[in-house]
Amino acid sequence: MDAQSRGRADDIDPADQWVLNPHTGNYELRLDQSAGESPVAARTATAEGSGRRGANSPEVPGQRSRRASQSGGRGAEATATAGRRKRKAPKARRKKALMWTGGVTAFLVATTAVGAYILYEKLNGNIDAIDIGDQGSKNVVSEGPMNILIIGTDKRTGKGNEGYGDKGSAGHADTTILFHVSEDRTNATAMSIPRDLKTEIPECETKGSDGASTTIPGTPDERFNTSLGQSGRNPGCTMKTVENITGVKPDHFMMVDFNAVKELTTAVGGVEVCMAKPVDDPKSHLKLPQGTSEVQGEMALALLRTRHSFGNESDLDRIKVQQQFLASMIREMKSSDTLTNPKKLYTLADAATNALTVDTAIGDAKKLMTLAQEIGKVDTKNITFLTMPVIDNPAEPKPITVVVDPVKGEQLFAMLRSDTSLTEVKQKEKAAKGKQAALLKGPKAAPADVRVDVLNGGEIAGAAGATVTWLQNQQGVLKSTNKANAPEKIKKTTLEYAPNQADQARALAEMMGLPASAMKPGTADAEGLEAMVLTLGADFKGAGIPITGPAKIPADVEKSSADKAVCAK
């Protein structure tokens, strides 16, 4: 394209180059306004022309100044590149992409809904990435379930944030959510982790800008929020801390700060919230009437930061409000005209990527779009919000901190590890798992008749030997053999068996709490004294500890779904 025919290249708003074709219902790239332009393109150009950014057009404030240095001359080049590519019409389901944690993934929604390669170069320059070494996955999308750690830090950055966080601090893991997406992408669980949780912060390794590695010693009894920023810890250290607590290994992280909340809520046009009673908090300057209101910018940040307006003024009550806000943000993105308005979508994407820091494995636009397409498959009604089950710290005379509930916490963690849904999914989706689940039903062999070879494909040294000892001494499976380490590490425990060993497999599965997904039946019968093969995976936590979690979380653990509005109390 000749940029001269449309004016200066850096005066072109990328969002204005896309128009809606009423005949197909899809967005199409308008290549040239001077020749061969369709009537719909001409009408759209006239309507949108007045909406382009100019001297009198407000722009969402950026967290960084990189845009100014990277915009010159790129618009025409990106448009020309896009114009040479044959495009597939975006699928309707892509418009269902979800958004969470105050809009961190607005960029994902944008690239998924519009599918615009023209935005890549612009938005790529906005994204910050951190090398977290061996923490996380090197693949953008995991073959099985995906776990993304969302971190909101209280580091003071940006104008107007002097009243938040600790002055001079490198920041903390102030708001943290472990976002688990099921293997079949039918459901997701967003578990908030209290910042005042007392836990072990394990040893972790960080990398400097020069590539040099530094090992940061672990500490046995610290607040969870010190897993980031303090003592030089980066998000990889927070990821390792979460894995140490839950047994769930995060694949990626996404981190934002105060500015993200203000910029993103402004870009989306405000988020509707509901108050069960009037709120007037002089400390956070939050003032809202009873009933519904729209908040954005400074007011949205005040709502998420206040801990004196709700419940017993604890961090746990603040978490509930944050979850209600995030659920409302998701509903806003699904019900508003954002996904059908290229200009608004672009503004939101630009603001989001300016506020976003991720791990290097997902540190560019194309990778984030791929991740978005996977996450976007989850229906809003099947996204569950809850808080990690905790109890008051028994080591404190007057409890200020909390610790993981030893019973309910482990039950929930086991459900996440075994990819058990916390919401009801469609019947046909349940039926797809019915055949696999049926493998656990039927007669079971006596323990003395069970023959099994045990291999260790997990992370715990000596796991195969410990399991064999437990099977023989505690379960009466005398024909069990330690076969040491498996050829390679695996994520999930598997049990391979022949059709004529099905009764043995069911008996062993019951003893060890194996999920149906662990059952791997063969097609040919076993001969003679051939044994089954049990390979322990990363989900194995110790001999005698069931690998699968309960079918449902305890009744007194509060949860909510993203599709329902709740008023903050």
Side-chain angles (χ1 to χ4, degrees):
M1 179 196 296
D2 183 358
Q4 188 175 359
S5 66
R6 297 193 59 189
R8 286 173 48 83
D10 50 2
D11 287 336
I12 299 173
D13 189 331
D16 288 336
Q17 299 179 51
W18 290 86
V19 297
L20 181 67
N21 186 330
H23 302 294
T24 64
N26 297 320
Y27 283 100
E28 298 175 359
L29 185 66
R30 182 174 62 241
L31 297 178
D32 195 339
Q33 294 186 21
S34 61
E37 184 177 53
S38 68
V40 64
R43 287 195 299 272
T44 306
T46 302
E48 291 185 353
S50 59
R52 294 179 185 168
R53 285 183 189 151
N56 299 321
S57 299
E59 180 175 335
V60 178
Q63 182 182 7
R64 307 176 182 91
S65 60
R66 288 173 293 180
R67 274 181 289 177
S69 63
Q70 296 176 353
S71 61
R74 278 180 147 172
E77 179 183 348
T79 305
T81 303
R84 292 194 298 267
R85 293 177 177 265
K86 184 176 181 181
R87 301 180 176 278
K88 295 182 179 179
K91 296 182 179 179
R93 65 178 175 82
R94 292 183 180 176
K95 296 181 181 179
K96 296 182 179 179
L98 62 91
M99 182 176 182
W100 74 93
T101 193
V104 170
T105 55
F107 164 68
L108 309 187
V109 175
T111 51
T112 302
V114 180
Y117 183 82
I118 195 173
L119 299 180
Y120 286 174
E121 287 212 8
K122 167 65 177 172
L123 300 180
N124 262 344
N126 292 347
I127 302 171
D128 269 352
I130 293 177
D131 187 346
I132 54 174
D134 294 334
Q135 285 304 121
S137 173
K138 302 304 178 186
N139 299 320
V140 176
V141 176
S142 302
E143 292 182 1
M146 290 194 303
N147 297 289
I148 302 170
L149 196 64
I150 311 301
I151 306 172
T153 176
D154 60 356
K155 182 179 180 180
R156 290 185 180 184
T157 57
K159 185 178 180 181
N161 295 324
E162 295 81 4
Y164 301 103
D166 298 328
K167 185 176 182 180
S169 170
H172 304 77
D174 190 60
T175 299
T176 307
I177 296 175
L178 178 60
F179 193 79
H180 171 86
V181 183
S182 67
E183 181 174 10
D184 61 8
R185 310 305 188 237
T186 63
N187 62 90
T189 299
M191 183 182 73
S192 296
I193 303 174
R195 68 176 190 174
D196 293 330
L197 176 75
K198 271 296 187 78
T199 187
E200 176 190 4
I201 309 295
E203 177 184 285
C204 61
E205 188 176 273
T206 64
K207 285 191 175 182
S209 57
D210 59 354
S213 296
T214 301
T215 299
I216 302 174
T219 50
D221 192 28
E222 289 276 0
R223 273 183 166 89
F224 173 80
N225 68 346
T226 63
S227 64
L228 175 71
Q230 309 307 298
S231 303
R233 298 185 179 108
N234 67 12
C237 298
T238 307
M239 294 170 73
K240 192 169 184 178
T241 303
V242 170
E243 182 182 4
N244 192 55
I245 296 170
T246 66
V248 178
K249 184 179 179 66
D251 296 296
H252 305 290
F253 82 86
M254 292 182 177
M255 183 171 66
V256 294
D257 60 14
F258 294 139
N259 270 5
V261 176
K262 295 195 289 188
E263 294 180 9
L264 293 167
T265 54
T266 300
V268 79
V271 176
E272 187 178 273
V273 294
C274 180
M275 302 294 111
K277 60 183 180 180
V279 174
D280 189 356
D281 181 7
K283 292 186 177 181
S284 66
H285 308 293
L286 177 66
K287 191 171 184 178
L288 292 172
Q290 182 177 356
T292 59
S293 304
E294 259 195 8
V295 296
Q296 61 178 286
E298 196 72 36
M299 190 63 72
L301 180 58
L303 173 64
L304 296 181
R305 292 288 298 164
T306 185
R307 56 187 297 173
H308 300 289
S309 302
F310 308 104
N312 60 6
E313 302 186 11
S314 71
D315 184 50
L316 297 179
D317 285 301
R318 182 176 70 161
I319 286 175
K320 293 179 184 177
V321 175
Q322 292 171 345
Q323 292 172 350
Q324 292 160 11
F325 177 88
L326 301 181
S328 181
M329 176 72 86
I330 293 173
R331 293 193 300 274
E332 171 67 22
M333 291 301 300
K334 301 279 278 186
S335 62
S336 71
D337 65 347
T338 303
L339 297 180
T340 58
N341 185 329
K343 193 172 185 67
K344 184 174 181 180
L345 199 57
Y346 170 74
T347 301
L348 185 57
D350 193 34
T353 50
N354 263 306
L356 183 64
T357 301
V358 300
D359 54 283
T360 51
I362 55 172
D364 69 51
K366 186 173 291 187
K367 292 177 180 178
L368 283 171
M369 187 182 76
T370 299
L371 185 62
Q373 291 170 344
E374 287 295 299
I375 297 173
K377 297 174 183 178
V378 182
D379 194 306
T380 306
K381 69 181 180 181
N382 291 330
I383 303 172
T384 301
F385 285 95
L386 50 72
T387 303
M388 176 186 289
V390 294
I391 58 174
D392 288 339
N393 189 347
E396 297 173 343
K398 185 178 180 180
I400 299 175
T401 61
V402 294
V403 295
V404 175
D405 187 309
V407 177
K408 298 173 186 175
E410 180 51 41
Q411 288 178 335
L412 177 58
F413 304 156
M415 292 182 74
L416 293 175
R417 293 194 297 264
S418 61
D419 197 25
T420 302
S421 174
L422 273 62
T423 61
E424 291 294 326
V425 294
K426 293 179 181 179
Q427 202 64 38
K428 65 179 182 180
E429 291 160 351
K430 289 183 179 180
K433 295 184 177 181
K435 185 176 180 180
Q436 188 72 17
L439 297 174
L440 296 175
K441 297 178 181 179
K444 300 176 180 66
D449 295 329
V450 174
R451 293 179 178 273
V452 61
D453 292 338
V454 183
L455 291 85
N456 183 15
E459 304 295 332
I460 301 175
T467 298
V468 168
T469 299
W470 176 79
L471 285 172
Q472 293 179 349
N473 296 341
Q474 302 296 323
Q475 301 299 314
V477 182
L478 302 179
K479 299 169 185 175
S480 52
T481 306
N482 175 12
K483 292 294 184 178
N485 292 330
E488 59 183 5
K489 299 290 186 181
I490 60 173
K491 288 187 175 182
K492 292 186 176 183
T493 297
T494 61
L495 177 59
E496 301 172 72
Y497 60 96
N500 61 342
Q501 296 173 322
D503 58 339
Q504 297 181 48
R506 287 190 287 265
L508 187 63
E510 183 176 63
M511 295 175 199
M512 298 197 60
L514 295 179
S517 58
M519 309 296 279
K520 306 297 180 185
T523 57
D525 282 346
E527 298 180 359
L529 301 179
E530 186 177 349
M532 301 182 295
V533 178
L534 174 68
T535 306
L536 305 174
D539 55 353
F540 175 79
K541 299 305 169 187
I545 300 177
I547 290 176
T548 187
K552 294 183 179 180
I553 60 173
D556 55 350
V557 174
E558 291 187 49
K559 66 175 185 175
S560 60
S561 61
D563 66 328
K564 292 181 174 62
V566 179
C567 292
K569 299 179 180 179

